[in-house]
Every structure is written in structure tokens, then in C-alpha cells.
Amino acid sequence: MDSDFSHAFQKELICVICSNYLVDPVTICCGHSFCRPCLCLSWEEAQSPANCPACSEPSQKQDFKTNILLKNLVTIARKASLWQFLSSEKQICGTHRETKKMFCDVEKSLLCLLCSNSQEHGTHKHYPIEGAAEEHREKLLKQMRILWEKIQENQRNLNEERRTAFLWRGDVVLRAQIIRNEYRKLHPVLHREEKQHLERLNKEYQEIFQQLQRSWVKMDQKSKHLKEMYQELMKMCHKPDVELLQVRMEDSVLLHMPQPVNPELTARPITGLVDRLNHFRVEIAFTWEVTNHNIRLFEDVRSWMLRRGSLNSDRSDYFAAWGTQVFSSGKHYWELDVDNSWDWALGVCKDSWIRKNSTMVTSKDIFLLLCVKVDSRFSLLTTSPMFPHYVEKPLGQVGVFLDFESGSVSFLNVTRSSLIWSYPAGSLNFPVRPFFYTGHR
């Protein structure tokens, strides 16, 4: 009966994924428990919500906490197995006829207490075996948690690199088209400049695309390597205590991670661009107000870029400004100084959007150029729809050109006399106000 009870008790402490004692056990929504590493690997490629490996019930992915009760019970079961092993005749010291309860860290061997204090082993480090094994396993688990974070970081970077490579071609094709359209409005003598401009654009596109390809190959290789390391550490954690202690651990699994390419096209000048638009120059008067809650442009954008929950901005006060004049016809051009800052947005928006204090991502009533900083990278985007632009970040003045005759809005890098972006003809068909939003005033 005792044997049956012991067997039933141990069965409850076994992970159904790896068929070993639970390591860092977590309990999911349906009540079943698994090793955290096993569950991480099992759910890595699963769709959300993932299914329980035991009963197939859907379970939302989340950051599960270690089940302390199960962890303590597993520790007790391991100690029982260890003492059963140590009580065997092979583990009795032949010299002193005592159980080998001490572990020599230098020779990675078991010793009795008297042997550990002998002259031969006196200078070595020794630990009681059961405490040493659990401490060793905890160190491995700490390394695994760090390594898993690296695996997730690398996967996010890989996904982003593939997405960037996909968008890169589309961005360059559209950019070439708006450059052609702009040159048509200028003097025909610039035909040679236009040709050189487009040739350099295509050459830069090819070079950066090759960088993106090499980058995602490196990340893919790194992903395989990290998972192999993770699985190796997981195997170590499942070893019996005595075998586990004989494994020599690396001090750290902190590794160099391949970083994503930050593709950026050179802002090449278009001769006469700013001079032409200065004919439509207007002075804009703005009404300023501090906004902390109602309009959350940059939080929305960062969430869109990272494809996850909203991020809190590290700046508490943002300044929103609306033009006092409404434009509904004609051509109008103005410039705003963004200096060397980030987290700014400028352009035009519909009156109703201002009154509703809408979020930026879902609104169709705004035409904005945004500069957003995520980690150490700057990104330029436009709205309606949200679209990233891989072009040099403007410094100093940014120009906004509103053309109701063609129904378009354009943004200029004034310092470089370069076109950042121009919306397709027919995009704008309602009255708008100038808009400026920044964390730097």
C-alpha cells in the first residue's frame, strides 16, 4: 500500500510534456501544471489562446507565477530519491563506513564528512549534497529565464526585420513615384537631376535590402542556437541531483544579440522645391494647451509599432497646438521648427477630431507626419493609414504643403530641400486645421 501511495504521489509531480519531475512548475487556467520551460517551448509557436497540453482547453498566454506548493513538494520527492540513492552500499565510504553526504566542488565527487575534512580534501570547497543540488538547479533556472528573454528578444527582432524588408520595397516604389511627380512640377531642365536622383535611390534600396537579408539570416541562426542552449539547460535541470552536480556550468548565458538594421534613405535635395512652395507661404497662429490624457498619439504609435499593449511614455506633459485658421480651398505652405527633438507630430486634422480628442491610430481625419523614438531608434510615420517611412530624420524646419486643388498634403525636410512624403491626389476632401503635437516646447 505504501508503495502504491508513493507511486501515486510521485505521478502527480510529473510533467506530462517531458515525463520528468516538474521544474519551476506553473499552473495554467484549467488547473494543470507543467514545467515552465516545457510550457514556454510548447506554446512558443501556438496561436493565442493556446491549448493546454494535457486537456486541450484554451488558455490565454500570460506571465505565470511559480507554483510554490508544487515546487516544495517536488523538492521533497527529489530529496527522498536522493537519500534512497545515498543509502545504497555503493555510496558508503569504504574507509570510514559512513554515508557520502558531502559534495566536493573541485573533484565533482561525493565524500563522507570525515573524508571532506581530511588533508587530501581540506583545501577544497564542500557542500551538503542536498542543498548543493537545489542551489545548482536554481542557478540553471536563472540562466534559463535570462536565456528565454534573449530568445524572445531575438524573435521580436527577427519578425521586425522580416516586416521591414517587406515594407522596404513598397516604401521605395512609392517614394520613387512621388519624386517623379514632384519633378514634373519643376523646370524640364532638371530631367538629368531626376534621373540621377532615382538611380541613387534604387542603388541605396538594393544595398539596404541586402543588409536586411543578411541580418535576418543571422537572427534565424541565432534563434536556433539559443533554443539548442535552452533545451540543453532544460535537460540538465531534469538530471538526478548527483549527476546535476557533476555538470560544469558557464558563468553566464548573456550573449551578443544581432541587432536589427535601421534602414534609412538619404534625404536628397530637389532643386527649386522649397522656392516653388514659398509662393504659397502663410503664417500660422497656434492655440496651445497642455494635454496629458486626452490625446495619446505617441503611446498609440509605439503600441502599433511593437504590436503589443500600450506603453507608458516617459514624458508626462505634451503640448498640443491647433491653428486658429481653417483651410478648405487653395494652396498653403508653412514651416515648423522641430530642432533635434523627437516625439513630435505635425500636419493637419479635421475639426471634429480635435473636439473628440480621438486616438490617432484609428482616426481617418488626420494627415500627420510623426517622429517617434522607441529604445534608441527614431522612426518617421504618416497617418491615414499608418505607414512607416525609412528616410533620414529631418532636423530644424519641416514644411507642410496643403494643396486642395489636387487634394494632397506634403511634408518637406526644409534643411535638405527634400520631399519626405506626399499623399496621393484626392486624399484630402474636407476642411482642416494645422496641428502640432510635441513633448518639447
Side-chain angles (χ1 to χ4, degrees):
M1 179 66 85
D2 289 344
S3 176
D4 292 341
F5 175 78
S6 176
H7 180 72
F9 172 72
Q10 290 185 8
K11 186 178 179 182
E12 293 302 314
L13 305 178
I14 298 296
C15 171
V16 299
I17 298 177
C18 66
S19 301
N20 292 298
Y21 276 135
L22 290 161
V23 169
D24 195 8
V26 292
T27 303
I28 64 176
C29 305
C30 61
H32 288 109
S33 300
F34 309 92
C35 302
R36 184 192 297 273
C38 292
L39 193 64
C40 286
L41 288 173
S42 175
W43 278 4
E44 187 184 20
E45 303 296 334
Q47 298 294 321
S48 184
N51 294 325
C52 169
C55 68
S56 299
E57 183 177 322
S59 179
Q60 294 289 343
K61 290 185 181 182
Q62 53 183 295
D63 187 18
F64 294 108
K65 293 182 179 179
T66 300
N67 187 321
I68 301 298
L69 175 60
L70 268 180
K71 183 177 180 179
N72 291 339
L73 290 174
V74 171
T75 300
I76 293 170
R78 282 206 186 94
K79 285 181 179 180
S81 298
L82 174 63
W83 282 109
Q84 186 177 3
F85 171 79
L86 294 177
S87 63
S88 67
E89 182 62 29
K90 289 183 179 180
Q91 300 308 317
I92 301 297
C93 175
T95 304
H96 303 104
R97 301 304 299 170
E98 288 192 5
T99 304
K100 297 177 182 178
K101 299 179 181 179
M102 304 301 292
F103 178 74
C104 176
D105 193 42
V106 175
E107 296 186 1
K108 303 294 181 185
S109 61
L110 296 178
L111 303 170
C112 74
L113 184 59
L114 292 173
C115 285
S116 67
N117 291 325
S118 67
Q119 186 176 359
E120 182 184 354
H121 295 279
T123 59
H124 298 173
K125 287 185 178 180
H126 303 93
Y127 308 95
I129 185 171
E130 61 182 47
E134 285 303 313
E135 184 179 342
H136 206 70
R137 189 171 281 108
E138 284 301 317
K139 287 181 180 178
L140 282 175
L141 288 171
K142 182 179 179 180
Q143 286 194 347
M144 290 179 71
R145 283 190 285 270
I146 295 171
L147 185 54
W148 186 253
E149 289 174 2
K150 294 290 182 182
I151 290 171
Q152 299 305 299
E153 175 191 340
N154 186 72
Q155 189 59 49
R156 286 193 297 270
N157 289 341
L158 178 57
N159 293 341
E160 180 62 23
E161 209 73 326
R162 285 172 173 162
R163 177 175 173 271
T164 300
F166 174 76
L167 294 172
W168 178 247
R169 176 174 174 78
D171 180 67
V172 172
V173 169
L174 289 173
R175 192 163 301 281
Q177 186 58 51
I178 66 171
I179 289 169
R180 290 190 190 96
N181 291 342
E182 194 58 42
Y183 273 106
R184 289 192 190 109
K185 302 170 188 174
L186 298 169
H187 198 281
V189 75
L190 296 175
H191 175 71
R192 185 174 180 180
E193 179 184 305
E194 175 188 357
K195 183 180 178 182
Q196 291 175 341
H197 196 138
L198 293 173
E199 285 174 350
R200 289 169 183 165
L201 175 66
N202 184 62
K203 182 180 179 182
E204 204 169 1
Y205 155 72
Q206 296 290 348
E207 290 172 351
I208 293 178
F209 186 73
Q210 288 174 8
Q211 290 178 31
L212 288 166
Q213 286 181 314
R214 289 194 296 268
S215 176
W216 88 53
V217 168
K218 283 184 182 178
M219 290 178 183
D220 194 46
Q221 292 172 342
K222 176 64 72 174
S223 179
K224 293 174 183 176
H225 175 59
L226 292 175
K227 286 178 185 176
E228 287 172 359
M229 289 180 62
Y230 190 80
Q231 289 168 342
E232 189 60 35
L233 290 176
M234 188 164 65
K235 288 178 183 178
M236 291 183 193
C237 281
H238 287 307
K239 287 180 179 293
D241 288 357
V242 175
E243 291 183 36
L244 175 64
L245 288 170
Q246 293 171 352
V247 174
R248 295 189 181 273
M249 285 177 24
E250 298 293 332
D251 290 336
S252 174
V253 295
L254 292 176
L255 303 167
H256 171 72
M257 303 295 290
Q259 295 302 304
V261 174
N262 189 14
E264 187 178 271
L265 292 167
T266 304
R268 291 192 170 84
I270 297 177
T271 301
L273 174 62
V274 176
D275 291 340
R276 180 178 74 84
L277 297 183
N278 269 327
H279 290 98
F280 310 104
R281 187 77 172 252
V282 293
E283 295 300 321
I284 303 295
F286 283 103
T287 299
W288 289 90
E289 74 171 52
V290 177
T291 176
N292 297 331
H293 305 293
N294 293 336
I295 303 178
R296 302 179 62 84
L297 294 183
F298 305 119
E299 289 84 348
D300 286 346
V301 175
R302 289 189 182 94
S303 299
W304 178 85
M305 291 170 67
L306 298 176
R307 296 294 192 273
R308 53 191 182 196
S310 294
L311 300 178
N312 293 323
S313 174
D314 56 4
R315 180 177 297 276
S316 58
D317 292 337
Y318 283 97
F319 301 91
W322 293 276
T324 56
Q325 185 177 355
V326 176
F327 296 111
S328 58
S329 62
K331 297 180 180 182
H332 313 276
Y333 174 71
W334 63 92
E335 295 175 358
L336 291 169
D337 193 354
V338 297
D339 195 23
N340 191 25
S341 61
W342 63 89
D343 277 10
W344 50 258
L346 54 83
V348 295
C349 60
K350 199 173 184 178
D351 260 353
S352 60
W353 182 82
I354 296 174
R355 289 195 296 269
K356 290 187 298 184
N357 288 333
S358 305
T359 59
M360 189 272 313
V361 172
T362 58
S363 177
K364 296 180 181 179
D365 300 331
I366 54 176
F367 297 90
L368 300 179
L369 172 69
L370 300 100
C371 178
V372 181
K373 186 179 182 182
V374 177
D375 298 327
S376 60
R377 298 176 65 177
F378 298 96
S379 296
L380 292 180
L381 306 98
T382 50
T383 62
S384 300
M386 184 78 73
F387 193 77
H389 297 279
Y390 305 102
V391 67
E392 186 178 333
K393 174 180 175 287
L395 302 176
Q397 300 286 327
V398 173
V400 182
F401 178 52
L402 193 59
D403 185 356
F404 275 95
E405 292 181 12
S406 65
S408 177
V409 182
S410 302
F411 300 106
L412 282 75
N413 182 334
V414 177
T415 304
R416 297 281 191 172
S417 187
S418 176
L419 188 61
I420 298 172
W421 178 245
S422 184
Y423 283 94
S427 299
L428 181 63
N429 55 14
F430 49 79
V432 292
R433 288 182 186 270
F435 179 76
F436 187 44
Y437 188 63
T438 182
H440 308 262
R441 185 184 177 196

